[in-house]
Amino acid sequence: MTEDLAADPTQHPAYLEFARLVEQTIAPHAVRVDATEVPQSHLDALRDVGYFSWAVPTEHGGAFLPAAVRNAADDLLFGADPSTALALTQHTGPIGQILGSGSAAARDLLPELAAGKRIGGAGFAQIRSWPHQSSTRATKVPGGYRFEGTVRWLSGWGLVDTAWLGGVDEQHATYVFGIADLTRPGITAIPLDLAAVAGSRTVSLSLREYFVPDEYITEVTDVTEWNALDGFVHPNDRRRPATAPAKPALPQPGPIGLGRAALAGARAAHPEDPSLQRLSAELEHAARTPLPEPRWRARLDGLAVRATAAGLVAAGGAGLLGDNIAQVRARAALFLQVRGLAPRVRTARFAELAG
């Protein structure tokens, strides 16, 4: 592994400052945010503690932190406020694409991304449907690519302005990725009525003659080669290996944070219940025991569903009330089941559900 999972990233000074912010400023408003939308004040608070700089190397104006610290912070945010987590943790998407590219113009965006003057997001999941269904088309034109079609999911609309965009060049059977300025013409946003993480400002985007200059195209890759790794390697990993690794270094943020938060509440209400203690132990063991992807992802996401269901049971009927965080977390755990649903990830989830 490239990360020492035995070390405790939660003792890093940046994490401790972040945890205080989450406890005092973000967590108390999670239910309201889920019912409305992530406020600008949350983004401002995260900017103030340097959150947006953590994935950017210092030579590009960032305050780069170890991946384990960033991962732990994102998990904490998912447990405290799933909608804010979904809207803002994808900030690292365009950063990874830029760092993995050779584009000097794209790298010039990094200082503003590090300062939180630009906020990153991602809109590429739709490419997985091609050629079975239509996707966002990327057509080579003089000076760049023209993108047309629908980006099915983009979270953080109104906060995010710099997106990692994906499309399909059907003529050449390649996926085309670039950095999109969402303030430019050619984009129409359509709000989505989600049953989970509803405050995440998630929209679909309609693209019409949306132009991305060559200097902001970060990757053009063969469809077959990219699909061969999809689900084994998270697309945001700019150091994509030639073959999929047997085990990832760190889990995707989300399920561990949701599970821990839900079980902390349940155990506070029922401290002597041995089943809750066993479920907590199972979650912590799974978090520290990597499996080959996508099995690890499916295992942890399944545990998040069980842990948040336990949180509902612990709260009783009150857990289903609109002002109770238990139902917010339980619905967010269901969202994890459809996140990053590459074909092999779907198969792994079915296998986990079947036991």
Side-chain angles (χ1 to χ4, degrees), residues 66-123:
V69 178
R70 291 183 273 127
N71 190 272
D74 285 348
D75 253 324
L76 181 70
L77 188 57
F78 265 102
D81 182 345
S83 285
T84 296
L86 177 59
L88 297 176
T89 59
Q90 295 180 72
H91 178 72
T92 57
I95 293 171
Q97 278 283 298
I98 291 169
L99 290 172
S101 77
S103 170
R107 289 184 179 229
D108 285 343
L109 300 175
L110 290 172
E112 289 193 341
L113 285 163
K117 294 179 180 178
R118 287 182 175 270
I119 303 298

Side-chain angles (χ1 to χ4, degrees), residues 107-336:
R107 289 184 179 229
D108 285 343
L109 300 175
L110 290 172
E112 289 193 341
L113 285 163
K117 294 179 180 178
R118 287 182 175 270
I119 303 298
F124 68 88
Q126 69 280 354
I127 65 175
R128 293 187 174 105
S129 66
W130 188 83
H132 306 293
Q133 300 176 29
S134 62
S135 181
T136 306
R137 299 178 304 281
T139 304
K140 189 72 180 80
V141 295
Y145 280 83
R146 184 179 67 243
F147 286 75
E148 304 255 5
T150 300
V151 174
R152 295 201 184 100
W153 310 95
L154 183 130
S155 298
W157 181 255
L159 303 176
V160 167
D161 54 21
T162 306
W164 168 19
L165 181 64
V168 183
D169 183 340
E170 297 179 348
Q171 182 179 357
H172 299 98
T174 56
Y175 290 142
V176 180
F177 298 98
I179 305 304
D181 182 345
L182 299 183
T183 67
R184 294 186 60 194
I187 298 178
T188 302
I190 304 160
L192 298 176
D193 184 13
L194 300 182
V197 287
S200 60
R201 296 173 176 250
T202 299
V203 300
S204 66
L205 300 179
S206 176
L207 305 181
R208 183 175 181 182
E209 297 186 355
Y210 181 79
F211 179 70
V212 178
D214 280 329
E215 56 265 35
Y216 296 108
I217 296 298
T218 52
E219 184 179 3
V220 178
T221 185
D222 179 80
V223 165
T224 302
E225 292 180 2
W226 196 90
N227 287 346
L229 292 179
D230 192 22
F232 287 127
V233 180
H234 190 270
N236 192 35
D237 185 354
R238 63 186 178 89
R239 298 170 297 278
R240 293 169 62 83
T243 56
K247 296 178 181 179
L250 291 166
Q252 276 192 276
I256 297 170
L258 276 172
R260 283 175 176 162
L263 289 171
R267 293 183 69 181
H270 305 279
E272 303 303 323
D273 191 288
S275 295
L276 292 175
Q277 295 173 17
R278 288 199 303 272
L279 185 52
S280 292
E282 183 181 356
L283 176 65
E284 297 304 326
H285 176 76
R288 292 176 171 80
T289 311
L291 297 172
E293 283 287 27
R295 286 173 52 205
W296 198 22
R297 196 179 319 178
R299 176 67 51 81
L300 291 171
D301 289 349
L303 277 165
V305 170
R306 292 165 55 199
T308 55
L312 277 174
V313 173
L320 294 178
L321 296 176
D323 63 354
N324 196 294
I325 190 63
Q327 51 85 19
V328 172
R329 290 180 180 135
R331 288 184 288 106
L334 293 177
F335 151 73
L336 296 179

